[in-house]
Amino acid sequence: ISRAKFTVTYPSSFMLVASMNPSPSGYFNDPDAPVATSPAEMQRYLGKISGPLLDRIDIHIEVTPVPFDKLSNSVNGESSVEIRKRVTQARAIQTERFKDSESVHYNAQMHTKYIRNHCTLDDASKQLLKAAMERLNLSARAYDRILKVARTIADLEGVEAINGTHISEAIQYRSLDREGWLG
């Protein structure tokens, strides 16, 4: 907290979950939308969000409208109990991985040294990430975020090595970083 004459730092650990409408009208990319938004309006709308702030958010997910047929479908997806079990196992893997560290307890807290040690990639995965970085014009911060998310995806699967599938999925979670994602 910064004030005119002093700055105070308090310890904190939090997870930020935020949402926003996809466009001023709220109907971006919805073919059944009653209102269309021009690319210029979209750029102006997205320009209200700080690029450096977006760069610090690990996962960006675009959620499309769910059709009525799926809402009314009686088929159940994966249960919360099963998801919780998988997340608990992944956290146990991370606790073991960082047991000798006083400041790092899970993947999101990794700094460069830990990323280099625990997010090693095979040649194919490196090439995939390199191509994504160049094609999507991603920042160095996005590179580290992709590696940390890929490490977490691998942990959720219970596998030691990060592979191309994990990298691909992590890249997909950086949708707001992509230049020209409006079309």
Side-chain angles (χ1 to χ4, degrees), residues 9-20:
T9 302
Y10 295 102
S12 68
S13 179
F14 67 93
M15 179 184 300
L16 172 67
V17 178
S19 67
M20 64 181 268

Side-chain angles (χ1 to χ4, degrees), residues 85-149:
K85 186 187 310 183
R86 206 169 60 243
V87 169
T88 301
Q89 290 168 345
R91 287 300 294 258
I93 290 169
Q94 293 172 33
T95 298
E96 179 62 25
R97 178 180 297 131
F98 301 118
K99 67 182 178 194
D100 296 330
S101 173
E102 289 183 25
S103 61
V104 178
H105 305 288
Y106 46 88
N107 294 340
Q109 295 175 319
M110 287 192 289
H111 49 72
T112 305
K113 175 186 166 191
Y114 285 100
I115 292 170
R116 301 303 172 250
N117 288 339
H118 300 293
C119 300
T120 56
L121 303 177
D122 59 23
D123 288 337
S125 297
K126 281 181 188 174
Q127 288 304 315
L128 174 64
L129 186 51
K130 179 183 178 189
M133 294 294 297
E134 292 170 355
R135 195 170 25 238
L136 303 174
N137 197 25
L138 299 175
S139 68
R141 185 174 285 118
Y143 173 85
D144 286 347
R145 304 261 181 215
I146 288 168
L147 288 174
K148 290 191 262 186
V149 170

Side-chain angles (χ1 to χ4, degrees), residues 8-183:
V8 178
T9 302
Y10 295 102
S12 68
S13 179
F14 67 93
M15 179 184 300
L16 172 67
V17 178
S19 67
M20 64 181 268
N21 281 333
S23 65
S25 67
Y27 294 104
F28 179 69
N29 265 352
D30 185 351
D32 300 325
V35 179
T37 304
S38 73
E41 289 173 312
M42 282 298 302
Q43 286 294 351
R44 200 168 34 257
Y45 178 72
L46 289 174
K48 294 180 181 187
I49 302 167
S50 163
L53 174 64
L54 279 176
D55 211 21
R56 287 171 171 81
I57 297 174
D58 292 347
I59 299 174
H60 315 156
I61 300 174
E62 183 178 343
V63 180
T64 56
V66 180
F68 178 79
D69 294 344
K70 287 198 177 197
L71 287 174
S72 60
N73 192 338
S74 62
V75 176
N76 291 332
E78 186 176 14
S79 74
S80 295
V81 172
E82 290 300 314
I83 294 170
R84 181 182 175 95
K85 186 187 310 183
R86 206 169 60 243
V87 169
T88 301
Q89 290 168 345
R91 287 300 294 258
I93 290 169
Q94 293 172 33
T95 298
E96 179 62 25
R97 178 180 297 131
F98 301 118
K99 67 182 178 194
D100 296 330
S101 173
E102 289 183 25
S103 61
V104 178
H105 305 288
Y106 46 88
N107 294 340
Q109 295 175 319
M110 287 192 289
H111 49 72
T112 305
K113 175 186 166 191
Y114 285 100
I115 292 170
R116 301 303 172 250
N117 288 339
H118 300 293
C119 300
T120 56
L121 303 177
D122 59 23
D123 288 337
S125 297
K126 281 181 188 174
Q127 288 304 315
L128 174 64
L129 186 51
K130 179 183 178 189
M133 294 294 297
E134 292 170 355
R135 195 170 25 238
L136 303 174
N137 197 25
L138 299 175
S139 68
R141 185 174 285 118
Y143 173 85
D144 286 347
R145 304 261 181 215
I146 288 168
L147 288 174
K148 290 191 262 186
V149 170
R151 172 75 270 154
T152 300
I153 294 166
D155 291 346
L156 287 166
E157 288 184 7
V159 297
E160 179 59 34
I162 297 172
N163 63 39
T165 304
H166 305 133
I167 293 293
S168 295
E169 185 175 344
I171 291 166
Q172 290 300 309
Y173 295 144
R174 300 297 302 183
S175 64
L176 294 178
D177 284 344
R178 297 183 201 142
E179 280 193 357
W181 71 276
L182 292 173

